[in-house]
Amino acid sequence: MPYIPNTDADRKAMLHAIGVRDVGRLFADIPKELRYPSLNLPPPLSEMEILQELQSISEMNADLDHFACFLGAGAYNHFVPSTVNHVLSRSEFLTAYTPYQPEVSQGTLQTIFEYQSMICVLTGMEVANASHYDGATSMAEAVIMAVNVGRGKRRKVILSPSIHPEYRAVVRTYTQGMELDIVGDDDYDHSLADLAALVDENTCCLIVQVPDFFGALENPADLQAVADAVHAAGGLFVVSADPIALGLFKAPGDYGADIVVGEGQSLGGGLNFGGPYLGYFACREKYVHKMAGRLVGQTVDTQGRRGFVLTLSAREQHIRREKASSNICSNEALMALAAGVYLATLGRSGLRLVAELCYHKAHYAARRIAQIEGYEIQGHKPFFKEFVVRCPLPAAEINNYLLDVYSIIGGYDLGSLNPNWQDSMLLCVTEMNSMEEIEDLVTALEEVGS
């Protein structure tokens, strides 16, 4: 609580202004027996003692400084270079104030411009905005943008069932009341061909996730075929992509995507107990006027000097909100800055190295687990850093054993999505998992399953 230095004279003047003789009169309506209740508090502690107690309480958390983590499903444990937090902690960036005045906000605007430029390179798109709240929000905004590109006449949205289930839920929540027909994700067995067969003249967009929620990768040629089918019907092809995977695999822009969205937490954001996260959003230039959020552009001043400004933002977003196609007019500036610093620090080769480490460690772990009696790797498609394992016991029971005995945070319990999948878990392996941790996981799985 801030200390407010009111003097006796200040207080006397304020009491006089409201016609009260003393402060006690302000509490006259509270029964006397309730004004100063007896609180069963422990004896007072010094600052040093309080910090020691708080430290001991924090040690009760299953934090990643003490536990190995094989949990992903949308939030990933990737290394954050020291440069990221060093730049983030600079006082000029620690503000929530929006940089409407370019003459005093060049530093912030340039960081957003650099972030946008790197997202474009990563996704193969031509324009990126200054970010959304998270990956799910970005996907919902992509739906609204596709509806507006179709002038509101196309009302059908096709979602792949292998999109993150929470993203699909957010899309429905976000667009409720818009009278959209959201289809395609009611059956987990729907293939890309099944989704393409749903496309018609009423379709505004078809959305897939690459790699999908279960870690699987689709063939770019198959994705291009879906994009072609959507374009032939006049709709947009939207791809939600793991940005780390884009350091190794083909950019969505190269197989026909019109909009690319995703969660940018992996790009220097850390897990942070669930947030704040970062939704990146990129699209083809011809759709830029329908894009929600902020866009920073590069220009020159009257003397020809390079400068940065907010540009191409629909004025309705700020001053006539009831007329706006989207009311998102802010962004996750600090997290976008983290992503920009992360990408600049790693560079193209560094990001590829991170992706390769994830890929090879995940495949090594899958091969070792497949050798354990009773465990089976599910699916026949290539995968990146996540894969589904069918276990001899319920996943929840196995996860409890991993945590209690080996201090390992296990995989995502897929039984929470479908009762028939209670014996299946989604495991994630990143560059942060050492070979010793993978071998401990294999040993623990073998023990609990025997």
Side-chain angles (χ1 to χ4, degrees):
M1 179 177 290
Y3 172 65
I4 301 174
N6 293 322
T7 65
D8 290 342
D10 292 334
R11 281 190 286 274
K12 186 176 180 179
M14 286 188 284
L15 290 169
H16 177 73
I18 61 176
V20 178
R21 190 174 62 197
D22 56 57
V23 173
R25 296 298 179 111
L26 298 176
F27 300 92
D29 293 332
I30 300 175
K32 287 183 178 179
E33 63 273 19
L34 298 178
R35 292 181 195 172
Y36 302 101
S38 176
L39 301 176
N40 185 25
L41 296 176
L45 299 175
S46 67
E47 180 182 359
M48 181 181 70
E49 291 169 323
I50 289 174
L51 291 175
Q52 289 172 339
E53 181 168 340
L54 291 175
Q55 181 66 35
S56 67
I57 293 173
S58 72
E59 293 296 332
M60 297 168 67
N61 290 325
D63 65 81
L64 300 190
D65 290 332
H66 301 85
F67 288 69
C69 179
F70 292 92
L71 179 62
Y76 300 104
N77 182 30
H78 286 290
F79 179 70
V80 179
S82 299
T83 49
V84 173
N85 286 328
H86 179 76
V87 175
L88 254 60
S89 62
R90 291 183 63 90
S91 59
E92 57 264 45
F93 294 124
L94 294 177
T95 174
Y97 190 71
T98 50
Y100 287 110
Q101 298 81 20
E103 63 273 17
V104 295
S105 307
Q106 284 300 292
T108 298
L109 291 172
Q110 181 172 359
T111 63
I112 295 174
F113 179 81
E114 303 291 356
Y115 159 81
Q116 292 173 175
S117 301
M118 287 185 277
I119 290 296
C120 286
V121 172
L122 202 58
T123 58
M125 292 285 102
E126 293 147 1
V127 181
N129 72 11
S131 74
H132 288 304
Y133 297 131
D134 53 30
T137 307
S138 287
M139 183 177 290
E141 287 292 340
V143 170
I144 294 175
M145 179 172 162
V147 171
N148 286 309
V149 169
R151 299 176 182 273
K153 298 176 180 177
R154 295 171 175 267
R155 315 300 292 180
K156 185 175 183 180
V157 177
I158 303 173
L159 298 181
S160 166
S162 57
I163 292 173
H164 195 303
E166 294 172 2
Y167 286 29
R168 290 187 277 122
V170 169
V171 167
R172 284 186 166 82
T173 302
Y174 218 82
T175 60
Q176 58 183 317
M178 294 180 64
E179 299 181 350
L180 300 181
D181 183 19
I182 301 176
V183 301
D185 61 336
D186 55 333
D187 187 344
Y188 280 106
D189 291 330
H190 276 167
S191 66
L192 286 179
D194 294 330
L195 297 175
L198 296 174
V199 176
D200 57 24
E201 70 280 357
N202 191 38
T203 301
C204 65
C205 66
L206 185 153
I207 308 179
V208 300
Q209 180 175 332
V210 183
D212 67 23
F213 178 71
F214 304 99
L217 291 159
E218 296 286 355
N219 187 315
D222 295 337
L223 292 165
Q224 181 68 64
V226 174
D228 293 343
V230 176
H231 293 157
L236 301 185
F237 183 47
V238 182
V239 176
S240 175
D242 178 341
I244 298 294
L246 295 180
L248 184 60
F249 300 108
K250 206 167 186 177
D254 295 336
Y255 49 78
D258 299 293
I259 305 172
V260 184
V261 298
E263 175 55 62
Q265 169 268 330
S266 297
L267 304 175
L271 287 169
N272 296 331
F273 292 96
Y277 281 0
L278 166 74
Y280 74 82
F281 190 109
C283 68
R284 300 289 182 189
E285 186 174 1
K286 60 183 175 181
Y287 304 126
V288 65
H289 291 287
K290 301 294 183 183
M291 185 170 65
R294 294 170 168 276
L295 182 64
V296 174
Q298 181 177 234
T299 186
V300 292
D301 65 11
T302 56
Q303 300 177 37
R305 295 175 301 187
R306 186 191 189 203
F308 303 91
V309 294
L310 289 177
T311 186
L312 295 174
S313 180
R315 64 196 296 269
E316 286 81 4
Q317 281 189 235
H318 304 283
I319 60 175
R320 297 179 64 198
R321 296 174 65 84
E322 73 281 4
K323 300 290 185 183
S325 58
S326 171
N327 287 135
I328 297 294
C329 57
S330 186
N331 70 305
E332 293 282 281
L334 198 65
M335 305 316 297
L337 173 62
V341 176
Y342 178 88
L343 289 170
T345 300
L346 267 64
R348 190 185 298 270
S349 60
L351 188 64
R352 181 181 176 89
L353 177 60
V354 171
E356 287 178 343
L357 287 170
C358 294
Y359 179 89
H360 290 298
K361 289 188 174 187
H363 284 72
Y364 173 79
R367 287 195 300 273
R368 293 284 290 120
I369 293 170
Q371 295 169 353
I372 309 172
E373 185 176 351
Y375 292 86
E376 181 183 356
I377 307 301
Q378 297 291 289
H380 59 279
K381 295 179 180 176
F383 64 89
F384 175 45
K385 63 184 179 187
E386 291 178 281
F387 52 95
V388 176
V389 180
R390 178 170 290 172
C391 310
L393 298 170
E397 187 175 333
I398 290 178
N399 279 337
N400 287 337
Y401 183 85
L402 296 178
L403 188 67
D404 295 341
V405 180
Y406 278 85
S407 297
I408 290 175
I409 299 172
Y412 181 84
D413 181 0
L414 292 173
S416 62
L417 299 180
N418 188 328
N420 296 325
W421 296 345
Q422 290 188 4
D423 62 349
S424 297
M425 68 167 61
L426 179 66
L427 283 171
C428 175
V429 184
T430 73
E431 81 280 12
M432 297 292 281
N433 294 113
S434 66
M435 295 300 286
E436 290 76 15
E437 290 177 350
I438 295 173
E439 290 300 331
D440 284 346
L441 173 67
V442 172
T443 302
L445 291 175
E446 191 168 16
E447 282 182 8
V448 70
S450 61

